[in-house]
Amino acid sequence: MTAIHSENKLKHEQVQYLEFLSRDLARAKTFYTKAFGWKFTDYGPGYTAFEGEYVDGGFTTGDPVKGSILVILYSNDIEATKNKVIEAGGVIVKDTFAFLGGKRFHFADQDGYELAVWSE
């Protein structure tokens, strides 16, 4: 994510990124480029990212399910944020892992919503 975001969007523990599932990344890119003028950066065959004015996002290969958008928050200190999530009653569903551009973990809140937190 580091290649596409602008630094002024990185606000500690705020929503910074939305991740969609798509069966056809080329089709999704064509639609969103035509409809909204979004610009895309590809990160391999299974992922493409877009940059928005206020929030960035991406599309990964998968079967879309209503309600399947992944909300991703940014953190200046991913371990401190992870500890706060756990202390608040969140459940870690995917422990911290590295990806091109940083690292992140996923958690579920008390309603079962899955969110992620990333850091550079």
Side-chain angles (χ1 to χ4, degrees):
M1 281 184 260
T2 55
I4 197 162
H5 70 74
S6 31
E7 294 300 322
N8 63 348
K9 290 184 214 173
L10 300 181
K11 305 295 181 203
H12 183 60
E13 298 179 348
Q14 297 301 305
V15 174
Q16 191 271 323
Y17 203 84
L18 303 172
E19 197 165 85
F20 298 83
L21 292 171
S22 175
R23 289 184 194 93
D24 185 334
L25 297 182
R27 184 188 66 212
K29 286 169 41 176
T30 299
F31 172 79
Y32 284 99
T33 298
K34 285 183 180 178
F36 304 114
W38 292 3
K39 306 267 188 256
F40 289 87
T41 301
D42 293 334
Y43 292 96
Y47 200 88
T48 187
F50 65 86
E51 183 175 359
E53 186 173 350
Y54 299 104
V55 176
D56 298 331
F59 290 83
T60 190
T61 305
D63 290 324
V65 177
K66 188 174 182 178
S68 66
I69 295 171
L70 179 63
V71 175
I72 304 174
L73 295 83
Y74 174 78
S75 176
N76 294 335
D77 184 343
I78 196 167
E79 289 305 314
T81 300
K82 184 169 143 183
N83 289 334
K84 287 169 56 177
V85 165
I86 293 167
E87 289 170 11
V91 176
I92 304 302
V93 296
K94 189 180 290 187
D95 209 354
T96 306
F97 64 94
F99 67 93
L100 184 63
K103 56 188 171 185
R104 78 184 195 194
F105 69 89
H106 294 212
F107 69 93
D109 68 9
Q110 289 85 357
D111 289 317
Y113 290 111
E114 184 173 335
L115 291 88
V117 177
W118 86 281
S119 186
E120 295 178 283

